[in-house]
């Protein structure tokens, strides 16, 4: 019943004021933005009537001297700035109100009675930086415009709990810092506001103190404790360029609330000139880039509102080193039209890139002096329109020699009455002392010597057309452009003609053809060991 009455009253009130045609505004709210005496003032009020044609006039009345200080026709807005010159004295009590006019009707707001000089309202505090270490949160704030100390109120809560609050004061001119003690495993929200400290005796009256607006609510996560886990995938490798997709994990919720950004540094250009050290600041958890064929280093750290994670560094290795020059790549290099970077290093074992490499943007390959007889490797990178690519990659020697050793573990297998297989372990790059062109194999026996050349990547060779029951010597050496290395030698004797086929198996008593499965080699002595195995099982 009571409810119905209240509604009725409201309706009557609205219709009456509409009928009156002029609705007064709220009382004005006047302040300046800092304690500086040269500061101008701002007055604001609420229009309670959306009527478009209304205009407002601000009146400021010196109540001591009974005279108008200023009146300002301030249009249709609900705010106006008052220049200090229009006021003269601001340290005396003044009455301020707004007169509204609609057509030929006028109405006045209620008055405020204030000492303008005391009405300071700072901008809302801005949190410049937060640093959290477990239960300690250091907050750095912007200073008010006048660079003065201020009175602050801070409030904080665990999500979903009640606000707790505290006040503190800061000093003139020093940094505005505050240390808040929190539960170290909890995430929080905080908010702050501030007011000027009274700067005139007249202003001691706390009624004059104006709080700034509250700063926005800010989430306070835990500090990020671990380095990001980062992965990379090579998507496409062509024309001296590799597309790489990097991706990484976000920290857990309690560390990422309030937002996380990732600072990614990618270095792909080894030379100082035009160094490509890309810095990326992103909120994404993935990044696509393209790199050269050389090693690339990537480092990343995560940043939230209270600090940064430790930095994680990864290396994307150079593409597999070649054992020959990629001449196809070099055909499309015009080093005159592009900026280039030459990168070179010792590649003793043909695989391992040293920690430190040599690089230069203005040296030509022919001017490089490197240790003789040792394999080195070079890349020629180019950059054109921020497109970085590898134009040439090549192993090289300043001077070559013959290999220092022959191949190791030279061995004879698959021996029959007319053939044998010779196998060996490739000469290691370190012992090659030049580019291995091929292996040279001499087979001596039965009064003559035959020579064969075997490609450098082979490690076995089938010797055919041998005489039965004959002794042979096999010598094998590596050859570079500087000549043959030392021989590795092995002797063997071919089987006699009657021995060396399946008939031997039958002779040995293995009648069932299934036994062939376990005895692939048909040497006499191996057959014997086969028989022994048979006997055991
Ligand atoms: C005070 O600050 C507010 C908000 O920054 C601004 O709109 C206003 O113009 C300033 N007033 C004066 C008098 O500078
Ligand atoms: C005020 O304006 C209205 C029309 O807008 C008019 O009827 C009325 O006579 C005016 N009153 C005076 C006092 O001028
Ligand atoms: C509003 O204030 C002005 C200026 O003091 C005055 O002349 C006028 O009579 C007032 N009007 C009303 C409706 O109070
Ligand atoms: C907070 O500030 C104090 C004093 O400036 C300093 O000793 C402390 O190390 C800081 N703590 C953090 C987490 O930054
Ligand atoms: C905390 O807030 C309450 C309610 O706004 C207020 O009464 C009290 O004075 C504040 N306490 C401090 C220390 O600011
Ligand atoms: C933060 O969250 C992770 C994963 O949810 C949890 O393992 C860890 O204990 C939490 N840290 C603290 C300090 O509560
Ligand atoms: C990212 O980190 C690097 C190295 O610490 C720093 O120089 C750079 O300014 C950071 N970038 C951003 C946007 O913070
Ligand atoms: C990455 O972030 C940028 C803004 O920083 C955004 O424009 C872009 O769409 C994001 N990409 C992905 C794949 O999320
Ligand atoms: C990155 O590259 C991968 C593979 O080419 C593609 O699937 C993905 O959409 C790309 N991401 C962005 C952010 O461009
Ligand atoms: C780099 O070149 C200089 C001079 O050419 C040489 O003394 C140095 O050993 C080289 N360093 C490496 C890592 O190759
Ligand atoms: C030759 O090969 C056999 C079997 O493959 C092996 O047992 C023997 O150790 C090898 N000899 C040498 C010298 O490597
Ligand atoms: C290797 O053996 C072959 C054939 O016996 C011989 O002609 C050659 O001189 C030997 N090479 C070396 C370096 O001893």
């Amino acid at each position: 019943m009571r409810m119905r009455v209240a509604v009725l009253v409201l309706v009557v009130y609205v219709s009456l004021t509409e009928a009156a045609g002029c609705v007064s505004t709220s009382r004005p709210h006047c302040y300046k933005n800092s304690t500086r005496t040269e500061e101008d003032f701002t007055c604001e009020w609420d229009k309670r009537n959306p009527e478009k044609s209304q205009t407002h006039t601000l009146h400021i009345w010196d109540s001591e001297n009974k005279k108008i200080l200023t009146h300002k026709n301030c249009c249709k807005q609900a705010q106006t700035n008052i220049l200090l010159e229009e006021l003269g004295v601001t340290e005396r009590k003044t009455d301020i109100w707004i007169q509204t006019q609609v057509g030929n009707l006028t109405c006045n707001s209620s008055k405020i009675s204030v000492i303008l000089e005391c009405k300071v309202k700072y901008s809302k505090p801005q949190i410049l930086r937060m640093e959290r270490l477990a239960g300690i949160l250091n907050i750095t704030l912007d200073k008010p415009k006048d660079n003065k100390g201020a009175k602050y109120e801070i409030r904080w809560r665990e999500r979903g709990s009640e606000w707790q609050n505290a006040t503190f004061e800061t000093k003139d001119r020093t940094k505005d810092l505050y240390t808040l003690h929190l539960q170290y495993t909890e995430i929080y929200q905080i908010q702050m506001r501030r007011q000027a400290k009274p700067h005139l005796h007249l202003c001691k009256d706390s009624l004059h103190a104006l709080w700034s607006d509250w700063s926005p609510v800010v989430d306070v996560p835990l500090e990020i404790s671990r380095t990001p886990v980062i992965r990379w995938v090579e998507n496409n490798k062509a024309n001296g360029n590799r597309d790489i997709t990097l991706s990484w994990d976000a920290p857990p919720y309690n560390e990422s609330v309030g937002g996380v950004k990732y600072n990614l540094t990618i270095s792909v250009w080894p030379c100082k000139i035009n160094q490509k050290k890309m810095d990326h600041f992103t909120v994404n958890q993935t990044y696509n880039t393209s790199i050269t064929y050389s090693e690339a280093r990537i480092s990343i750290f995560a940043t939230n509102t209270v600090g940064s994670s430790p930095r994680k560094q990864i290396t994307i290795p150079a593409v597999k080193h070649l054992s020959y020059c990629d001449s196809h790549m070099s055909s499309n290099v015009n080093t005159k039209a592009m900026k280039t970077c030459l990168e070179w290093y010792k590649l003793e074992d043909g695989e391992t890139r040293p920690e430190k490499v040599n690089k230069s943007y203005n040296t030509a390959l022919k001017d490089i002096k490197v240790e003789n007889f040792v394999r080195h490797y070079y890349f020629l990178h180019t950059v054109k329109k921020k497109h970085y690519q590898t134009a040439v990659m090549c192993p090289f020697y300043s001077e070559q020699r013959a290999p220092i050793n022959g191949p190791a573990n030279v061995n004879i297998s698959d021996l029959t009455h007319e053939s044998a297989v010779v196998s060996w372990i490739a000469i290691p790059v370190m012992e090659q002392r030049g580019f291995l062109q091929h292996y040279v194999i001499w087979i001596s026996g039965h009064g003559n010597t035959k020579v064969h050349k075997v490609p450098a990547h082979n490690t076995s060779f089938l010797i055919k057309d041998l005489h039965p029951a004959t002794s042979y010597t096999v010598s094998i050496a590596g050859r570079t452009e500087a000549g043959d290395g030392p021989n590795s030698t092995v002797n063997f004797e071919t089987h006699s003609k009657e021995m060396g086929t399946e008939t031997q198996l039958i002779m040995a008593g293995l009648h069932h053809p299934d036994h062939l499965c376990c005895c692939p080699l048909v040497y006499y002595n191996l057959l014997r060991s086969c028989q022994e195995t048979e006997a055991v099982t």
Side-chain angles (χ1 to χ4, degrees):
M1 199 61 202
R2 188 178 286 176
M3 186 70 177
R4 198 174 292 167
V5 172
V7 170
L8 194 68
V9 168
L10 189 69
V11 169
V12 169
Y13 172 75
V14 170
S15 60
L16 278 180
T17 49
E18 266 172 8
C22 180
V23 181
S24 60
T25 67
S26 70
R27 65 177 62 189
H29 185 62
C30 297
Y31 60 89
K32 56 180 184 173
N33 286 348
S34 81
T35 56
R36 295 198 297 216
T37 50
E38 69 273 23
E39 198 79 64
D40 294 328
F41 289 83
T42 301
C43 287
E44 298 166 345
W45 55 90
D46 287 339
K47 290 197 263 190
R48 289 170 177 165
N49 180 2
E51 173 61 63
K52 291 253 167 44
S53 65
Q54 65 187 333
T55 56
H56 306 288
T57 310
L58 173 83
H59 294 272
I60 302 183
W61 173 259
D62 181 346
S63 45
E64 231 168 86
N65 293 338
K66 302 258 182 301
K67 62 166 194 191
I68 280 281
L69 287 178
T70 185
H71 64 266
K72 245 189 117 160
N73 294 326
C74 31
C75 50
K76 294 171 182 174
Q77 273 105 44
Q79 194 222 37
T80 187
N81 287 351
I82 310 151
L83 303 181
L84 196 60
E85 302 84 81
E86 299 172 20
L87 292 170
V89 184
T90 56
E91 288 168 19
R92 276 204 291 272
K93 206 151 223 176
T94 52
D95 291 341
I96 308 176
W97 71 94
I98 308 293
Q99 184 183 349
T100 301
Q101 178 157 17
V102 187
N104 53 11
L105 299 172
T106 64
C107 51
N108 291 341
S109 73
S110 357
K111 284 179 189 164
I112 55 165
S113 198
V114 294
I115 299 170
L116 273 174
E117 190 56 39
C118 300
K119 303 291 274 181
V120 175
K121 183 186 173 189
Y122 282 148
S123 60
K124 59 188 166 218
Q126 264 189 3
I127 296 174
L128 298 180
R129 217 156 73 115
M130 293 196 289
E131 285 169 287
R132 182 173 184 173
L133 197 62
I136 303 279
L137 178 68
N138 282 353
I139 304 167
T140 310
L141 298 156
D142 69 328
K143 293 270 323 164
K145 199 175 161 190
D146 52 16
N147 208 23
K148 289 256 201 290
K151 199 170 141 186
Y152 282 86
E153 181 175 358
I154 178 168
R155 57 182 187 180
W156 68 95
R157 65 178 175 198
E158 290 171 35
R159 286 206 160 180
S161 304
E162 293 288 299
W163 287 110
Q164 292 176 269
N165 59 351
T167 52
F168 62 96
E169 288 193 11
T170 58
K171 296 207 172 67
D172 291 355
R173 285 180 295 278
T174 62
K175 257 192 187 168
D176 280 4
L177 279 175
Y178 185 65
T179 299
L180 186 62
H181 294 266
L182 302 170
Q183 292 281 318
Y184 75 95
T185 56
E186 297 297 335
I187 56 182
Y188 286 88
Q189 293 186 308
I190 64 168
Q191 195 174 27
M192 321 184 76
R193 59 179 183 169
R194 62 184 166 196
Q195 64 180 211
K197 293 186 191 172
H199 61 292
L200 285 179
H201 179 69
L202 285 167
C203 305
K204 287 279 183 270
D205 179 0
S206 68
L207 284 176
H208 284 116
L210 290 178
W211 281 110
S212 72
D213 296 331
W214 282 103
S215 66
V217 175
V218 170
D219 287 306
V220 181
L222 302 179
E223 75 257 32
I224 306 176
S225 50
R226 302 212 177 93
T227 55
V229 174
I230 180 165
R231 295 167 293 275
W232 62 274
V233 179
E234 190 178 282
N235 293 316
N236 184 25
K237 186 177 125 222
N239 303 321
N241 197 269
R242 299 185 274 170
D243 288 341
I244 302 287
T245 296
L246 300 163
S247 60
W248 51 89
D249 295 338
Y253 176 75
N254 52 17
E255 296 178 359
S256 49
V257 54
V260 182
K261 285 186 178 176
Y262 305 92
N263 182 324
L264 198 60
T265 307
I266 306 174
S267 18
V268 300
W269 185 250
C271 285
K272 282 237 168 56
I273 298 285
N274 290 302
Q275 192 161 38
K276 194 186 193 187
K277 223 178 181 182
M278 303 176 287
D279 260 348
H280 293 282
F281 212 48
T282 177
V283 297
N284 301 339
Q285 281 167 250
T286 161
Y287 185 72
N288 281 357
T289 188
S290 89
I291 63 174
T292 66
Y293 281 1
S294 179
E295 183 178 288
R297 284 164 200 273
I298 311 234
S299 88
I300 186 171
F301 61 86
T303 303
N304 67 8
T305 52
V306 299
S308 296
S309 75
R311 186 187 285 270
K312 172 76 181 176
Q313 245 167 334
I314 60 162
T315 300
I316 298 179
V319 299
K320 197 169 163 28
H321 292 107
L322 301 176
S323 55
Y324 57 91
C325 258
D326 193 337
S327 57
H328 167 73
M329 290 171 87
S330 62
S331 62
N332 56 10
V333 192
N334 176 359
T335 52
K336 287 211 179 75
M338 293 170 165
K339 301 227 166 64
T340 61
C341 175
L342 188 67
E343 177 188 2
W344 72 97
Y345 44 86
K346 209 188 248 191
L347 196 65
E348 281 173 288
D349 63 356
E351 290 170 17
T352 318
R353 182 188 199 266
E355 188 69 18
K356 287 207 165 161
V357 304
N358 269 359
K359 59 235 168 177
S360 170
Y361 65 93
N362 58 6
T363 308
L365 186 66
K366 63 180 170 45
D367 300 326
I368 296 175
K369 295 244 178 318
V370 295
E371 213 177 315
N372 285 340
F373 324 133
V374 177
R375 183 169 298 188
H376 285 70
Y377 205 82
Y378 82 91
F379 291 93
L380 183 66
H381 307 295
T382 61
V383 52
K384 193 179 178 188
K385 291 187 182 144
K386 298 211 163 168
H387 182 68
Y388 292 79
Q389 79 184 102
T390 301
V392 187
M393 52 189 265
C394 229
F396 72 102
Y397 288 86
S398 68
E399 200 177 310
Q400 300 189 40
R401 269 219 171 147
I404 197 164
N405 287 319
N409 286 23
V410 178
N411 211 344
I412 296 295
S413 60
D414 300 65
L415 192 60
T416 69
H417 65 282
E418 57 176 7
S419 71
V421 169
V422 58
S423 61
W424 61 93
I425 292 177
I427 302 175
V429 168
M430 240 178 286
E431 296 175 10
Q432 289 178 12
R433 301 199 301 171
F435 291 111
L436 203 58
Q437 294 172 325
H438 46 252
Y439 290 102
V440 188
I441 300 180
W442 289 269
I443 299 128
S444 315
H446 211 257
N448 62 24
T449 299
K450 280 186 183 162
V451 189
H452 297 275
K453 284 183 192 172
V454 176
H457 58 85
N458 285 12
T459 54
S460 67
F461 179 69
L462 173 64
I463 309 169
K464 289 184 290 191
D465 302 330
L466 300 175
H467 293 273
T470 309
S471 293
Y472 285 94
T473 299
V474 175
S475 296
I476 169 163
R479 175 176 289 173
T480 68
E481 67 166 36
D484 295 342
N487 285 329
S488 297
T489 301
V490 67
N491 298 310
F492 68 95
E493 193 178 329
T494 49
H495 293 313
S496 57
K497 196 149 194 174
E498 310 83 67
M499 306 173 81
T501 63
E502 277 97 325
T503 53
Q504 297 299 312
L505 287 171
I506 294 151
M507 279 170 62
L510 301 169
H511 302 298
H512 200 284
D514 282 357
H515 289 291
L516 285 171
C517 75
C518 341
C519 248
L521 299 175
V522 287
Y523 310 149
Y524 184 65
N525 53 351
L526 278 179
L527 266 172
R528 222 171 48 215
S529 68
C530 249
Q531 274 179 310
E532 278 160 17
T533 320
E534 266 319 281
V536 172
T537 53

